[in-house]
Amino acid sequence: MVQGALREEGLEAFRHVVLEYDFKRRGLRMDCVLLAPGVVVVIEFKRSKVSAADRDQVSNYAINLVEFHEVTQQLVAKGAVVVPIVALTEGKAKRSKAKPSFHEGPWASVLREPLVADRSNLSEVLRAVLGLRTGRAKVDAKRWISSRFSPSSTILDAAISLYGAHEVSAIKEHQAPVEHIRACTAEVVKHVAAAKKSGRNRIIMVSGAPGAGKTLVGLNVAFDLELRERSVFVTGNAPLVKVLNKALKNSYQGNARAMEGIVGSGYARSAAKQVIEAASFKIVAAHRFLGDYDKLLTSKDGSVVVFDEAQRTYQKGKQVLGSALRDHEANLILNSLASTHDKGAVVVALLGHNQAINAGERGAGAWFEAAEALDWDISIGDDTLALSELEPYRKKWAKHPQRFKLKRGHLEHSMRFYRNEGVEAWAHAALEGDADSAKKLAAKLEAQGHAVLVTRSLSKAKAWARTQRAGEQRAGLVASGQAKRLIAEGLYPNHKPGIEDWMLAPSHDIRSSDMLETVQNQYQIQGLELDWVVLCWGADLRYEGKSGDGWQAYKLRGPKWTRDKAIDVSKNGYRVLLTRARRGMVIYVPRGDSSGVDETREPSFYDGVAGFLSACGAALLG
């Protein structure tokens, strides 16, 4: 089809055709890429009709080339454009009457809407593509094909890459953090080996800021070639388990379909099924792990437990799996491991800080107390011991005879905001009431083109997110689980739509986050990321000025708000919400009910928040 089209007059500029180009990111493979001076064309072939998902797919390919393909980035810098096309191999394509236009901002070189062609008019469409060029930068096909990749290390990318043996690469801007993650992983693996050799049980503590890569370290350790036969990845974040397993299932089913023509459909499906089952077996929700230990693990598997969000273990008496815990959860886990495995059991505890969002969580200190009570060693770095949450244990464990020192056990730099990592520092300053520091940070972000936005209009916030999102990027609404009066705005923060489909379903699917209809709260979205976030602020966390001591937390009890003493838990919940975006965020602050009918939504509850966020440098959206 392409070969025939390129024989037509006026298309001599297309001198290079690349088929089945492996993008090495989530196993993506581009059907066809055409290279000409000043233009890169990405073609995805479909049989007889074009769906919204097909348009998103080819647009995503084009955007990813601009985002992560080094030679394409160099061409774009010289004025080249990137054009996605969906080509029908059968039937007729509907011609669009809209004039082609390009994205704004980082993807200004990418055509906003994919072109659609069929056998009869592909040559005509390609001639039109040449007319969209703004430059004539020459393309070296060999350099383009062998170009370096620098895809982002989201948790989903990393998980699928690790399980599927795809390439895991780091973004160039974060080479130093990535090297730290690799060094941390290597050191942890050495300490696991040392524990096995000594026959002593050991806890290895890895800490880090939100988005710094703790989960990536854990996944690396759990699937290390030396450890994968006896390791399991456990997390207190149940939504993360669901999304990881669903993403893996989707990935391998897609790979199976791609393999059918090569190795036969039966073998492909069987191989995919085995991989999905193995991956699902390795990722376990924490409380299911504890309650179903014998069923989940073989005699070998589980002697090394990577425990994500390890600070979330519950205290004795907490209701888990329908019954009260008979002991602190950390104690139960260590006891279970010690009784099941002869010697040298290991827990790799991944510790987040400033992230307490649930009642009944004991924090990182639970592991120190359990280790001392049950005679386990601890590997921990000085930077981790220096965290404020560990102050009660610092002096005792600094030179404890059962302490082994980690050199690279604390991850300081976030990888989540690969364009605007300063947002996390801004969120911290704002939640600590430090408007001056927040304003300075906001000015730096704005100068970089990554301003934090605030609006009093939900419709404008949604319109902004829809305009920003492109290809297979994700946009979504998030809100605090305590912001119950957002119901009056048509937002249900406790509805809890299925997180797997919300995160992974295509944009046209009504279950998708991209529809901007359903809301996820901090309990569901923690550990997960979106590209574009609309954070809907509720009356559960208010800024009441200096006379009111700044931020104050509230809970709705019946028809009235009452003061909540757990201000840190409330602020940490919003800290989670403020740090979910990878590319950009707008904060929607309602205006409340000015009629006086609804006392739970007095305008003053929200005006103080909007005013303080503005004082912190948040830019007004419309």
Side-chain angles (χ1 to χ4, degrees), residues 486-506:
L486 285 175
I487 290 175
E489 309 290 336
L491 303 166
Y492 295 79
N494 289 309
H495 169 56
K496 296 182 181 179
I499 190 68
E500 310 98 309
D501 292 318
W502 196 83
M503 285 293 302
L504 300 171

Side-chain angles (χ1 to χ4, degrees), residues 441-459:
L441 290 164
K444 291 181 180 179
L445 288 168
E446 189 167 8
Q448 297 166 0
H450 309 311
V452 177
L453 303 174
V454 64
T455 182
R456 308 302 296 273
S457 167
L458 181 58
S459 62

